[in-house]
Amino acid sequence: MSTEKEETAAQVWALTLGTYSREGVAAACIGLQDRHGVGVSALLALMGLAALGYPVADARAMERVLARAEDWQWRVIEPLRRARRALRQAASDGIEEEAAGVRRALLAQEIETERLQQQLLVTDVLGGMTGLMWTSDDAGRMRPAESVARLYLARFIEHWSEDEEEALQLLLDAMAGEDAGPLLD
């Protein structure tokens, strides 16, 4: 991976972690994931790339840049997530503590595979030049992130409810928050 791609991937991952750690964001993301099958890591990466000036331009470009990332989602991330969640339900008397340790290890691996998925997305967006450099003032810096988020979420959500609108607004507010500010300038 080139230096620009490595630096951008690191910025996107830092932006993802900063966004996800803000109040209410994890619950909103898990809600989108559980209700609609949204790939949260891909969503946050695409939003981060857009906020950094690399928005995916249209639905065809979105399909191209998501090909490898979605394959990774279903072959790698989802099996880890299913195993981690199954452990919570399957652990019986006498092994709860050990099972909790395995769940923590699986969660760490799941998070690492999400970081790698974001590297795939950064590589495919920057390599394919599907993004357009978007220049705007501070007040408008999240417009491309919102556009890309809506484009991505439309693949999963046919009829938007107030819950989905609130979740998206929470993500946008969190990504544009103080902690993320320097990354978006």
Side-chain angles (χ1 to χ4, degrees):
M1 197 167 16
S2 75
T3 303
E4 178 187 11
K5 290 177 185 173
E6 289 171 351
E7 290 173 7
T8 303
Q11 286 180 314
V12 167
W13 184 243
L15 189 52
T16 293
L17 294 177
T19 299
Y20 197 82
S21 70
R22 299 192 61 125
E23 186 176 335
V25 171
C29 288
I30 291 169
L32 289 170
Q33 177 182 287
D34 290 348
R35 284 190 310 273
H36 303 289
V38 170
V40 171
S41 178
L43 170 63
L44 292 172
L46 290 165
M47 290 174 67
L49 279 161
L52 292 169
Y54 303 101
V56 176
D58 56 40
R60 284 182 44 201
M62 179 77 67
E63 291 298 321
R64 281 194 311 273
V65 300
L66 285 173
R68 291 192 315 155
E70 286 186 336
D71 183 58
W72 183 262
Q73 177 81 32
W74 299 117
R75 289 179 184 249
V76 179
I77 296 170
E78 290 301 324
L80 286 170
R81 182 172 295 134
R82 281 191 302 275
R84 179 178 54 82
R85 287 179 172 179
L87 269 170
R88 180 180 308 267
Q89 297 168 348
S92 42
D93 290 340
I95 63 165
E96 299 93 356
E97 191 173 315
E98 291 90 349
V102 173
R103 274 196 327 271
R104 284 189 298 275
L106 285 173
L107 178 59
Q109 292 303 307
E110 186 180 332
I111 291 168
E112 178 60 12
T113 61
E114 289 174 336
R115 185 188 68 75
L116 292 172
Q117 180 190 43
Q118 288 195 357
Q119 273 188 308
L120 288 173
L121 276 168
V122 168
T123 297
D124 291 347
V125 168
L126 296 184
M129 297 308 286
T130 58
L132 303 171
M133 291 303 289
W134 200 300
T135 58
S136 67
D137 57 14
D138 284 345
R141 70 184 181 186
M142 292 310 292
R143 265 185 254 135
E146 180 177 0
S147 295
V148 167
R150 287 186 182 282
L151 182 63
Y152 177 73
L153 290 170
R155 303 170 85 237
F156 301 92
I157 304 170
E158 188 174 332
H159 302 289
W160 284 65
S161 71
E162 190 173 312
D163 289 341
E164 282 74 35
E165 287 295 338
E166 288 175 5
L168 177 57
Q169 193 57 56
L170 181 64
L171 289 174
L172 290 165
D173 292 346
M175 190 169 279
E178 290 177 36
D179 297 341
L183 291 174
L184 299 177
D185 289 339

